[in-house]
Amino acid sequence: MTIIDEIKSGKVPSILNEISKKEGRSIDYLVKGLLDGTIVIPKNNNHVSLKNPMGIGKGLKIKVNANIGTSFGYDDFEYELEKYRTSRKYGADSVMFLSTWGDLDFQRKELLTISDIPVGTVPIYDAAVVAYKENRNVVDFSEKDFLKIFEKHAKQGVDFVTLHVSITKDIVKKLKKSNRIMKIVSRGGSIIAGWIIKNGFENPFYRYFDEVLDIAREYDVTLSLGDSLRPGNLFDSLDRLQLEEWFIFEELVEKARSKNVQVILEGPGHVPIDQIESTVELMKKYGKNAPVFLLGPIVLDVAPGYDHITSSIGSAIAAKSGADFICYVTPSEHLSLPSVEDVKLGVISSKIAAMAVDFSRGKFIEENYKVAISRKTLNFENIKKVVLDKEIVDKYLKNRPFHGKGCSMCGPFCSLKIVEEYLKE
Amino acid sequence: MTIIDEIKSGKVPSILNEISKKEGRSIDYLVKGLLDGTIVIPKNNNHVSLKNPMGIGKGLKIKVNANIGTSFGYDDFEYELEKYRTSRKYGADSVMFLSTWGDLDFQRKELLTISDIPVGTVPIYDAAVVAYKENRNVVDFSEKDFLKIFEKHAKQGVDFVTLHVSITKDIVKKLKKSNRIMKIVSRGGSIIAGWIIKNGFENPFYRYFDEVLDIAREYDVTLSLGDSLRPGNLFDSLDRLQLEEWFIFEELVEKARSKNVQVILEGPGHVPIDQIESTVELMKKYGKNAPVFLLGPIVLDVAPGYDHITSSIGSAIAAKSGADFICYVTPSEHLSLPSVEDVKLGVISSKIAAMAVDFSRGKFIEENYKVAISRKTLNFENIKKVVLDKEIVDKYLKNRPFHGKGCSMCGPFCSLKIVEEYLKE
């Protein structure tokens, strides 16, 4: 039974009280949004430790997701849990578990036991990892594996899953003939496209989408429709193939809603700064106003090592244009598996984008006001009470101190001190 | 004689060839922009070492300025020169010399000898520093000092100066009675406001603006009209006082243009993300479309330590809305005098914002294209040839390497490798 089923049966699920309190929106508002699909609350009925759920969508605060997970050669799961804790500390609203090495089942269960925020996964990774470990090709697994793996994740308590449903056999055919620079940069999308080409069958997530929905409904797993064809560079943005996938989103969203399954849409990626607004608008149009979950977007390709910044610009403009949920990008994107420090920078950069837009919508007013009035009196102790990262404030104040009131930037020539002397009220 | 004088006398100053080449715009286009004031080329006739001039304004690439300079307790000028070199290395188009400690005359001359890019200053700082060194109050100097100091800077070869002309006696009176949270956060603005209150006279830069223009014209110094009342927090943005100062910009721009003196306008500061567009539009309106030079803007106050990011979001949106020239903000803003590393982060963050907007206007296409096609084949060596920071790419690749083709983020599950196998053209 899903939260939509519950509401339609006349109940008010208790989780709504918590979301209502967090968001400052009425229960009625949330119910309306959940029913028309503009709001989702990812929460698997089996995710017992989920004490801090999130609502995503229209009128709610912009949410931030952090990715964690092992990779080939980097399978220290304890270190990945450290990333989880870091993400949590700096304000991530959810975490996606994207491990591709080690004992994936163990790791997933462990994270679901620990995590009090929603956990997302990409089930198809499991199939590829098993195939690789058994010395088969990464796309060498059976049609049955698609649903079996998804069902396992659902049963274990995963709150939302990325399923690359919309990369159909027909689209793969067009893709082969297309002249886009980077055909697929979605890991899950490339695995399924490879599988389709190797086996000659239709994408099982698409072919058996009714069964997918039945599983999702049983556990209340929110579906995050993966965009296999998200552009991997600025030049591929908004090409026909990307749009074709969105056209399929339209039918999938309608089917999911008809079965009371919650659904959100994943989006790019790499987008020139003047195409972000259209990207979000088109996704909202074809996705029937389902919440939009963007990876970045990255607005410049020549800054590897700084993609937390290229994407925080993109996220801010996207959120301003209606995006609801931001997947962080770390500075190590395109270069290596992130470190804990990279994860911290990724989360903070995304939070900045999210909160800047939220502020313009009347949220986080108190926190920003406290900084403003505390800066006026150069009260750094009060400032530290509400900032995103207290430690860095201390670091700067200690590394280059000014031995007097104020900081070493202006020293005795601080405008606030001059104002205090001559313009005091 | 200014560049405008030259053009009006029928000459084509040779500097236009260089700017034309750099910008990919015709000489005629530049001449038209210079004559109607939508383009400026800051270049003091006495700045002999200026080999890399910049054009700022309509149709040209967005420019980035970095600030350097000593402060009380931090008067190692060699270290500040290291900041200059770092700014230059990462692509700053100009540098403002903002020293407030040590031998300012020596430092300024030294920088002007070294710098091949335009140098800006804030002359009024000198008066405050001298007063403080002589154990007087920082606003304790004479009316004559205003023009004398500006003339000295002009003669030494400074290419553009921030003059806080628009903070008039009348505005200071209103400011005293206003309820803005942080009355003045502009260092120069606060010194002049304090001076006005202490002495009871009109702002000499305003009162003797004709003389200011005569000096500027003699050496061809571009005037950057300082906005003393730029908001210092999100709540003070677009208040009446800020607008009153812009109303004065209007008359100053007209006067400057009538004397063939180049002029640009300085803007905020701290601006909520939904007010950036109006801010730039209003500045363009009241500033008669003179180029707009923004400090940031910062879009969130709760992220000290990350203001290179809060401001890179603001800069990108501002540039998209028409801002022409971005003053970098470093992570240490509000906390301490920046280190060389902070300067690097500040410049790169601003460059990202500038280039992202420029890309959407057809610039930096080749560089971004090279990254796109090199990523497709996982050719990191080629990527490094065009990125903003090669060292950081190496750092990430070496710290967490993948011993095969690709990087440690996806390892054997790299979408590009799967695509290469199954979707090759």
Side-chain angles (χ1 to χ4, degrees):
Chain A
M1 210 186 190
T2 71
I3 192 168
I4 311 293
D5 287 318
E6 274 195 80
I7 290 173
K8 285 190 177 166
S9 76
K11 288 181 199 145
V12 176
S14 62
I15 202 170
L16 290 187
N17 292 310
E18 196 166 341
I19 302 293
S20 165
K21 218 181 296 168
K22 271 185 173 179
E23 299 284 349
R25 309 288 328 210
S26 70
I27 302 275
D28 283 352
Y29 180 85
L30 297 175
V31 164
K32 195 179 158 296
L34 285 159
L35 287 177
D36 68 18
T38 55
I39 290 176
V40 300
I41 300 176
K43 56 104 201 128
N44 187 308
N45 298 330
N46 286 352
H47 187 189
V48 184
S49 66
L50 179 67
K51 304 293 179 203
N52 272 301
M54 64 171 171
I56 307 170
K58 198 174 164 188
L60 309 187
K61 288 175 198 152
I62 313 294
K63 300 303 180 297
V64 169
N65 175 73
N67 293 334
I68 68 161
T70 59
S71 188
F72 188 87
Y74 299 90
D75 57 356
D76 178 358
F77 182 61
E78 286 304 316
Y79 189 72
E80 297 306 312
L81 285 181
E82 180 65 24
K83 291 187 192 170
Y84 161 77
R85 285 186 292 269
T86 299
S87 304
R88 193 75 191 80
K89 176 176 175 186
Y90 293 103
D93 299 287
S94 68
V95 64
M96 286 195 81
F97 168 78
L98 304 182
S99 277
T100 53
W101 209 247
D103 184 343
L104 302 192
D105 252 338
F106 166 79
Q107 293 176 15
R108 197 182 315 103
K109 284 185 199 162
E110 193 70 6
L111 181 63
L112 282 164
T113 307
I114 292 168
S115 180
D116 67 340
I117 55 175
V119 172
T121 60
V122 186
I124 204 68
Y125 289 178
D126 289 34
V129 172
V130 168
Y132 186 82
K133 279 190 173 175
E134 292 175 356
N135 278 317
R136 285 179 282 129
N137 195 297
V138 296
V139 306
D140 193 3
F141 47 86
S142 80
E143 196 180 27
K144 281 182 194 157
D145 289 328
F146 283 80
L147 266 71
K148 222 169 62 187
I149 292 166
F150 169 45
E151 188 162 24
K152 183 166 77 175
H153 285 219
K155 208 168 179 177
Q156 287 178 350
V158 169
D159 303 289
F160 61 106
V161 293
T162 298
L163 297 187
H164 301 85
V165 189
S166 43
I167 174 116
T168 60
K169 202 176 159 184
D170 175 55
I171 287 185
V172 170
K173 203 186 296 170
K174 288 179 185 160
L175 182 64
K176 266 195 110 163
K177 282 184 283 182
S178 83
N179 60 359
R180 54 158 46 193
I181 299 177
M182 296 168 86
K183 293 205 191 297
I184 308 189
V185 296
S186 153
R187 203 154 45 160
S190 71
I191 294 166
I192 297 182
W195 186 93
I196 291 172
I197 291 171
K198 185 168 181 290
N199 295 284
F201 299 141
E202 180 54 283
N203 175 353
F205 283 142
Y206 182 74
R207 186 166 172 200
Y208 303 109
F209 193 57
D210 283 328
E211 284 81 347
V212 165
L213 292 175
D214 291 340
I215 297 166
R217 188 173 192 170
E218 186 174 350
Y219 302 96
D220 200 358
V221 180
T222 297
L223 297 187
S224 185
L225 301 177
D227 57 332
S228 302
L229 301 180
R230 68 168 187 265
N233 62 77
L234 298 171
F235 300 90
D236 290 337
S237 172
L238 287 182
D239 71 353
R240 290 183 194 194
L241 285 157
Q242 193 184 2
L243 269 67
E244 290 233 29
E245 211 178 1
W246 292 346
F247 301 158
I248 295 177
F249 278 178
E250 191 168 24
E251 69 182 75
L252 299 173
V253 167
E254 279 177 355
K255 275 195 183 167
R257 286 184 182 163
S258 74
K259 291 218 179 177
N260 297 342
V261 171
Q262 303 189 88
V263 62
I264 63 177
L265 314 172
E266 293 185 12
H270 294 241
V271 188
I273 205 165
D274 60 333
Q275 293 181 15
I276 297 174
E277 213 172 325
S278 336
T279 296
V280 176
E281 279 171 11
L282 285 168
M283 288 185 73
K284 289 275 175 175
K285 177 180 165 62
Y286 289 106
K288 306 264 165 194
N289 293 312
V292 162
F293 180 25
L294 293 188
L295 177 60
I298 283 166
V299 294
L300 190 72
D301 286 347
V302 293
Y306 298 92
D307 281 324
H308 58 312
I309 299 178
T310 61
S311 68
S312 108
I313 292 173
S315 304
I317 296 175
K320 201 167 169 283
S321 311
D324 307 280
F325 190 21
I326 293 168
C327 185
Y328 87 167
V329 176
T330 78
S332 78
E333 182 79 17
H334 304 110
L335 300 172
S336 72
L337 193 71
S339 67
V340 167
E341 182 59 23
D342 295 329
V343 165
K344 175 181 166 180
L345 283 173
V347 171
I348 288 179
S349 305
S350 296
K351 284 292 285 184
I352 287 171
M355 290 173 78
V357 173
D358 280 336
F359 179 84
S360 75
R361 294 172 182 164
K363 303 173 203 284
F364 301 110
I365 301 297
E366 255 179 75
E367 293 86 343
N368 283 283
Y369 188 74
K370 185 147 191 164
V371 172
I373 54 163
S374 307
R375 260 188 196 148
K376 182 182 177 168
T377 54
L378 295 161
N379 187 335
F380 291 106
E381 286 311 309
N382 271 345
I383 289 171
K384 278 195 289 180
K385 286 177 189 156
V386 289
V387 298
L388 287 181
D389 182 4
K390 293 178 228 315
E391 291 89 354
I392 205 169
V393 172
D394 278 329
K395 199 193 89 183
Y396 275 111
L397 292 174
K398 276 176 197 159
N399 279 2
R400 311 196 94 194
F402 172 64
H403 300 288
K405 206 179 173 190
C407 79
S408 59
M409 189 156 180
C410 303
F413 308 102
C414 171
S415 65
L416 298 165
K417 290 189 282 191
I418 298 171
V419 163
E420 175 61 22
E421 185 159 354
Y422 294 97
L423 278 108
K424 58 178 158 243
E425 284 136 73
Chain B
M1 211 185 188
T2 70
I3 191 168
I4 311 294
D5 286 319
E6 275 195 82
I7 290 173
K8 285 191 177 166
S9 77
K11 290 181 198 142
V12 176
S14 62
I15 202 169
L16 291 187
N17 292 310
E18 193 164 343
I19 303 292
S20 165
K21 218 181 297 170
K22 272 185 173 181
E23 300 284 349
R25 309 288 327 211
S26 70
I27 302 274
D28 282 353
Y29 180 86
L30 297 174
V31 164
K32 196 180 157 293
L34 285 160
L35 286 177
D36 68 18
T38 54
I39 289 176
V40 299
I41 300 176
K43 56 103 200 130
N44 187 309
N45 298 331
N46 286 352
H47 187 189
V48 184
S49 66
L50 179 68
K51 305 291 179 204
N52 272 302
M54 65 172 169
I56 308 170
K58 200 175 162 187
L60 308 187
K61 288 177 197 149
I62 313 293
K63 300 303 179 300
V64 168
N65 175 73
N67 294 334
I68 68 160
T70 59
S71 188
F72 187 87
Y74 299 89
D75 57 357
D76 178 358
F77 182 59
E78 286 305 315
Y79 189 72
E80 297 307 311
L81 286 181
E82 180 65 24
K83 290 187 192 170
Y84 160 77
R85 286 186 292 269
T86 300
S87 304
R88 193 76 192 78
K89 176 176 176 186
Y90 292 103
D93 299 287
S94 68
V95 64
M96 285 195 82
F97 168 77
L98 304 182
S99 276
T100 53
W101 209 248
D103 184 343
L104 302 192
D105 251 338
F106 166 78
Q107 293 176 16
R108 196 183 313 105
K109 285 185 201 164
E110 193 70 6
L111 180 63
L112 283 164
T113 307
I114 292 168
S115 180
D116 66 339
I117 55 175
V119 173
T121 60
V122 186
I124 204 68
Y125 289 178
D126 289 34
V129 172
V130 168
Y132 186 82
K133 281 191 172 173
E134 294 176 354
N135 278 314
R136 285 179 282 129
N137 195 297
V138 297
V139 306
D140 194 3
F141 47 84
S142 79
E143 196 180 26
K144 281 183 195 156
D145 289 328
F146 283 80
L147 268 71
K148 223 169 61 189
I149 292 166
F150 168 45
E151 187 162 23
K152 184 166 76 178
H153 286 219
K155 208 168 178 176
Q156 286 178 351
V158 169
D159 303 290
F160 61 106
V161 293
T162 299
L163 296 186
H164 301 84
V165 190
S166 43
I167 175 118
T168 60
K169 201 175 161 185
D170 176 55
I171 286 185
V172 170
K173 205 186 292 172
K174 287 179 186 159
L175 181 65
K176 267 196 106 162
K177 283 184 284 182
S178 83
N179 60 359
R180 55 159 45 192
I181 297 176
M182 296 167 87
K183 293 204 191 298
I184 308 189
V185 295
S186 151
R187 202 152 48 157
S190 71
I191 293 166
I192 297 182
W195 187 92
I196 291 172
I197 290 171
K198 184 166 181 293
N199 295 283
F201 299 141
E202 181 53 280
N203 174 353
F205 284 141
Y206 182 74
R207 188 168 169 197
Y208 303 110
F209 194 57
D210 283 327
E211 284 82 347
V212 165
L213 292 175
D214 290 340
I215 297 166
R217 187 174 193 169
E218 186 173 350
Y219 303 95
D220 200 359
V221 180
T222 297
L223 297 187
S224 184
L225 300 177
D227 57 332
S228 302
L229 301 181
R230 68 169 188 261
N233 62 77
L234 298 172
F235 300 89
D236 290 337
S237 172
L238 286 182
D239 72 351
R240 291 184 192 193
L241 285 157
Q242 193 185 359
L243 270 68
E244 290 233 26
E245 212 178 0
W246 292 346
F247 300 158
I248 294 177
F249 278 178
E250 191 168 23
E251 68 182 74
L252 299 173
V253 167
E254 280 177 354
K255 275 193 184 168
R257 287 184 182 164
S258 74
K259 291 217 178 178
N260 297 342
V261 170
Q262 303 189 89
V263 63
I264 63 176
L265 313 172
E266 292 185 14
H270 295 241
V271 187
I273 205 165
D274 60 334
Q275 292 181 16
I276 296 174
E277 211 173 327
S278 335
T279 295
V280 175
E281 280 173 10
L282 284 169
M283 288 185 74
K284 289 273 177 178
K285 175 179 165 62
Y286 288 106
K288 305 262 164 195
N289 292 312
V292 162
F293 180 24
L294 293 188
L295 177 60
I298 283 166
V299 294
L300 191 72
D301 286 348
V302 295
Y306 298 92
D307 281 323
H308 58 312
I309 299 179
T310 61
S311 68
S312 105
I313 293 173
S315 303
I317 297 176
K320 202 167 169 284
S321 311
D324 308 280
F325 189 23
I326 293 168
C327 185
Y328 86 167
V329 175
T330 78
S332 79
E333 182 79 16
H334 304 110
L335 299 172
S336 71
L337 193 71
S339 67
V340 167
E341 182 59 23
D342 294 329
V343 164
K344 175 181 167 181
L345 283 173
V347 171
I348 288 179
S349 306
S350 295
K351 284 294 286 186
I352 287 172
M355 290 172 79
V357 173
D358 280 335
F359 178 84
S360 74
R361 295 173 182 162
K363 305 174 202 283
F364 301 111
I365 301 297
E366 257 180 72
E367 292 86 344
N368 282 284
Y369 187 74
K370 184 147 193 164
V371 172
I373 54 163
S374 307
R375 260 191 197 145
K376 181 182 179 168
T377 54
L378 295 161
N379 187 336
F380 291 107
E381 287 309 311
N382 271 345
I383 288 172
K384 278 195 288 178
K385 286 178 190 155
V386 288
V387 298
L388 288 181
D389 182 4
K390 294 177 226 318
E391 290 89 354
I392 206 169
V393 172
D394 278 329
K395 199 193 90 182
Y396 275 111
L397 292 174
K398 277 176 196 160
N399 279 1
R400 311 196 95 195
F402 172 64
H403 300 288
K405 204 178 173 192
C407 79
S408 60
M409 190 158 179
C410 302
F413 308 101
C414 172
S415 65
L416 298 165
K417 290 189 284 193
I418 298 171
V419 163
E420 176 58 23
E421 183 156 358
Y422 294 97
L423 279 110
K424 56 179 160 243
E425 284 136 77

